[in-house]
Amino acid sequence: MRDPSAADPVALLRDVGLGEAPVQSRWELYPSSVPAFVLARARATLAPPPTVTLGLGAGGRLTAQGEASHTWIREARLLARTIADIGEFDLALAF
């Protein structure tokens, strides 16, 4: 299994000179709970403006700090609920 934002395993094999021939594999995509991948999913889903910084804490606590429009904040609150492994969304934003 591999998270969609993880490196392509076939490309990794090519990079070390193995190519595809000596290795047979079958990969299934799944949402990994590795914090770096959870945060990458949050960034991709929420598309924060450059003025907002996202962080991920213990227990899947997603934080957003900075400045954002009312529209982005409203949409982010709704979208954060759809992100796998996010337990809480804490907004510390100015508008």
Side-chain angles (χ1 to χ4, degrees):
M1 295 191 298
R2 112 180 148 84
D3 188 271
S5 57
D8 179 12
V10 174
L12 291 174
L13 290 172
R14 264 195 312 267
D15 291 347
V16 295
L18 292 177
E20 296 178 45
V23 178
Q24 290 186 350
S25 64
R26 184 175 151 251
W27 295 89
E28 298 286 333
L29 296 179
Y30 82 105
S32 172
S33 59
V34 171
F37 293 135
V38 175
L39 190 54
R41 276 196 303 277
R43 285 186 182 120
T45 301
L46 301 179
T51 54
V52 172
T53 301
L54 296 179
L56 188 65
R61 184 173 174 260
L62 181 66
T63 59
Q65 295 182 329
E67 296 183 27
S69 68
H70 287 287
T71 301
W72 184 84
I73 293 169
R74 185 178 60 248
E75 291 175 2
R77 281 188 176 130
L78 295 172
L79 288 172
R81 297 177 190 170
T82 69
I83 304 169
D85 297 308
I86 297 296
E88 178 184 350
F89 188 32
D90 181 20
L91 292 153
L93 298 170
F95 9 83

